[in-house]
Amino acid sequence: MAKWVNGPFRPIRRAAVIGSGVMGAGIAAHLANAGMEVLLLDVAPQSLTPEEEARGLTTAAPQVRNRLAAAALERMKKAQPAPLYEPAYAERIKPGNLDDHLHLLAEAEWIVEAVVERLDVKRQVLERIEAVRRPGTLVTTNTSGLPVAGMSEGRSEEFRRHFAATHFFNPPRYMKLVEVVPVEGVTAAAAVERLRAVCERQLGKGVVIAKDTPNFIANRIGTYGMLVTLEQLERFGLTVEEADALTGPAMGRPKTATFRMLDLVGLDTLLHVVDNVRERSGDEKERKRFARPAMLERMVADGRLGEKSGGGFYRKVRKPGGASDIEALDLRTWAYRPRQSVRSASVDAAKAAKGAAAKVKALLDADPKSDHAAFAWETLKRTLLYSARQLGVIADTVSDIDKAMKWGFGWELGPFELWDALGLASSVERMRNEGEDVPEWVLDWLKSGHTSFYKSESGARLYASGGAYKREEADEDDISLAALKEAGKTVFTTGGASLIDIGDDVVCLEFHSQNNAIGGDVLQGVRRAAEEVGRNWRGLVIANEGRNFCVGANLMLLLMEAQAGEWDEVEDIIRLFQSSMGLLGKLDRPVVAAPHRMTLGGGVEVCLPADRIILSPETYFGLVETGVGLIPAGGGTKQAARLAAERAEGGGLGELQAQLNLMFETIAMAKTSGSGYDAGRLGLLRPGDKAIIRQDARIAEAKRAVLELDREGYIPQPERRIRVAGKEGKAVLLLAVEAMRLAGQISRHDALIAGKLAHVIAGGDVKPGLEVSEQYLLDLEREAFLSLCGEPKTQARMSHMLATGKPLRN
């Protein structure tokens, strides 16, 4: 379990979820991820399945009565993407049914209702919950837009004071946003704050407080944006592919853009959301904005619902041999055709720009008179104006609206941040010149001399609120490297890394190369950081705020040098990598790494020399070099041999071989963890390493670990000789490799790579049990890496990975 941070906090230990459908099961899984014991209840079936009949069961049998919740529990153990951090966490969930186990709700501290989206059904369930719950127990509904106040009608005052909506986004483990929706004037402030604290600190979520309005914040604005995109698509006569090219990463949004997202959500689901806003709105203009698009009605009538029906705006077509093609719907003929690539000055400029703000400006400015730029402007303009009109209606602050769109829809910039990026004053002037009705509060804000909705001041972020700037609330554990850099806390910066003062005489080394790949510019930063920290600081954190921590070494550079036959250059790169990691391991100050998301290959090798590793929950950790025909050579194979030897300390050669086999398998099969909690399964972590559930707290927790090590009187680990399995241990590994090759499980080139790995990790052809130096293993590592770089099939694997992002088996 994660260590709770941020001061005094009373975590919830027992929870219950009512409803075991997709959302209910997903919520139950994530509550279990957070260490809660969860009761998962659903209705008791009134009839038998054919399988149950064949087994001679009756409707009174517990297996039948608990069938729905038990089946959901079994599905979550196998589901992909996995709802559980570790499969073993399923043991924290107890399935049951509402008739036999309703009384157990009295033991729960938090009850989540997640039944079908029907107001009458939810009211009935809440009535049953009230009959057994203890006073003071939190009760929430997971709804995407039903009226929360109406749901709690008829319940007692005490119940309603502890009742709100907690709108989780799907899938609950992975989506950061939870919209907490209190009943205005009824839900107790203490209950709202308790829910916020539990969701943020215990579940690791980002919470916004939404008003009890149709579809709340994110779905309200997101749905409106999709309707505008559909409208402008028809107006400009663009293809589906063109619209997606313009409304995806080019606007700082996910690759699913608009129409791929609609296919994932389901076109019928979108119509349901649209209907909910229109039918519940008392504003005639709002009702018109949420009219049903004829295009969607036709597609739903035709059964083109998206992925769940086999096709929507796109469909996947299987080809002979098992491969597949993606086809797109031609809106002129209503027939599918091969998906087309999109090229234009606007799209190309956006692709070339760095960062969401620069991308959007490039999209609009590269060819401003083109249909692509006009389409982008119209969709953006309308979405920004709509968001501004909703301030005070769906949420009280621009900050909450922006956070909801970033956390719920994956936007890199929320609407008001995006408006700032475009230039608030100039874009408003353009809107007014085009006859748009700009909300009065925005005009007043500009008249008062303000030029943006956000600004930074002394390292803090301020946002527009009531005619003045208001300080954005920041948890003490939410260390923002970007804000610290804006506040002038950068100690130094190189082309690929920066050292930042994060307080209390601790600094953070941040990578910011392309994709955070490790090249000479990053390694220069590592070496300079080691020198600086050794002289002037209490310790070092290694972390960053990129999309991924580090996806490995600069593969393009290695491939270019290898193809050119510049072997001295390749060897120099590897020597630099190895020696730089050695500096981290020998530093006389504590070093703590805080990886997140993709932490692969060289990213792991950066973490392994650290005294501690603090992983975020979504850390996908692994030495994956074999996937590109190589082995870890930044000290990773040496570290694996060292870990095996340390775990076998005090045991014989048999124990050493057993530990070595595990490490060899992890690297040879390029295994990666499914979460930060799962990383220990790979054998790459030490007892002091841990995962924490709050992604945003990882840097602060790493800093805390540095200070703790420093207070204990930090002494760096002395270099130790490493006991290796030698020639006989290597033979054992090679025997397993050959058996796999003969069985057709691996290719000859796979076997060649595995053989090189076996030679290094076993310590070469020395006597079994011999203790060797770290440098000896590093030399073996480097030699093996260089020889593999010269293999044409390895170069083909490297080229394929660079071109497709996928491994090649050759």
Side-chain angles (χ1 to χ4, degrees), residues 21 94 97 135 202 251 308 396 454 471 544 600 687 709 729:
K94 178 181 178 181
N97 69 80
Q202 195 167 355
M251 280 190 182
K308 60 186 174 184
D396 283 330
Y454 291 92
R471 189 185 183 94
N544 63 67
L600 304 175
L709 288 166

Side-chain angles (χ1 to χ4, degrees), residues 277-570:
V277 178
R278 187 182 64 257
E279 291 166 5
R280 288 182 56 197
S281 177
D283 183 338
E284 188 58 33
K285 287 183 178 180
E286 189 79 342
R287 292 172 63 85
K288 288 181 179 178
R289 291 188 189 107
F290 283 84
R292 281 181 156 225
M295 182 192 301
L296 290 190
E297 288 191 312
R298 175 176 176 178
M299 291 182 71
V300 170
D302 290 346
R304 304 187 204 214
L305 308 181
E307 282 199 358
K308 60 186 174 184
S309 69
F313 287 100
Y314 298 95
R315 73 175 182 183
K316 184 180 290 187
V317 180
R318 295 289 177 188
K319 298 193 301 184
S324 61
D325 280 337
I326 303 296
E327 295 184 336
L329 184 64
D330 189 320
L331 299 176
R332 296 168 299 177
T333 64
W334 287 90
Y336 289 100
R337 52 159 175 72
R339 184 171 57 176
Q340 301 170 346
S341 60
V342 177
R343 294 294 304 271
S344 73
S346 297
V347 171
D348 292 348
K351 284 182 179 179
K354 305 299 181 186
K359 284 181 179 296
V360 175
K361 287 185 69 65
L363 184 66
L364 297 177
D365 297 343
D367 187 9
K369 295 183 179 180
S370 69
D371 282 350
H372 282 182
F375 167 88
W377 167 248
E378 288 296 327
T379 54
L380 283 170
K381 174 180 69 175
R382 293 174 189 275
T383 303
L384 298 181
L385 289 170
Y386 183 76
S387 300
R389 293 187 192 104
Q390 299 313 304
L391 185 65
V393 177
I394 61 176
D396 283 330
T397 71
V398 297
S399 177
D400 274 347
I401 290 175
D402 280 346
K403 288 174 181 175
M405 298 314 298
K406 290 189 291 185
W407 296 341
F409 274 72
W411 293 11
E412 291 186 49
L413 297 172
F416 297 99
E417 293 171 326
L418 183 54
W419 212 335
D420 279 354
L422 295 179
L424 179 57
S426 60
S427 59
V428 166
E429 182 180 7
R430 179 176 175 181
M431 291 173 186
R432 296 187 76 187
N433 289 339
E434 293 172 355
E436 299 293 347
D437 181 18
V438 179
E440 199 64 33
W441 76 265
V442 175
L443 299 177
D444 289 343
W445 181 252
L446 287 169
K447 288 176 185 175
S448 62
H450 300 115
T451 58
S452 63
F453 292 117
Y454 291 92
K455 72 173 184 177
S456 294
E457 190 174 276
S458 303
R461 194 177 192 226
L462 285 71
Y463 63 88
S465 178
Y469 282 109
K470 182 177 181 179
R471 189 185 183 94
E472 197 167 57
E473 291 183 16
D475 194 295
E476 62 180 11
D477 269 351
D478 292 348
I479 292 178
S480 167
L481 299 180
L484 288 169
K485 287 191 288 187
E486 281 190 25
K489 297 296 184 179
T490 301
V491 179
F492 71 74
T493 188
T494 69
S498 295
L499 194 68
I500 303 157
D501 180 356
I502 58 175
D504 297 312
D505 293 324
V506 178
V507 281
C508 179
L509 178 64
E510 173 200 43
F511 300 162
H512 44 69
S513 60
Q514 186 172 2
N515 297 320
N516 281 347
I518 296 173
D521 51 356
V522 170
L523 295 175
Q524 179 190 355
V526 170
R527 300 177 77 85
R528 189 170 168 188
E531 181 182 355
E532 170 69 22
V533 171
R535 287 200 312 259
N536 300 316
W537 302 88
R538 293 171 70 181
L540 174 68
V541 168
I542 305 175
N544 63 67
E545 294 171 337
R547 178 172 175 77
N548 298 301
F549 176 75
C550 177
V551 295
N554 187 331
L555 201 59
M556 176 62 80
L557 175 62
L558 286 169
L559 179 61
M560 289 173 59
E561 298 289 7
Q563 289 178 330
E566 298 288 350
W567 302 116
D568 288 344
E569 291 293 331
V570 176

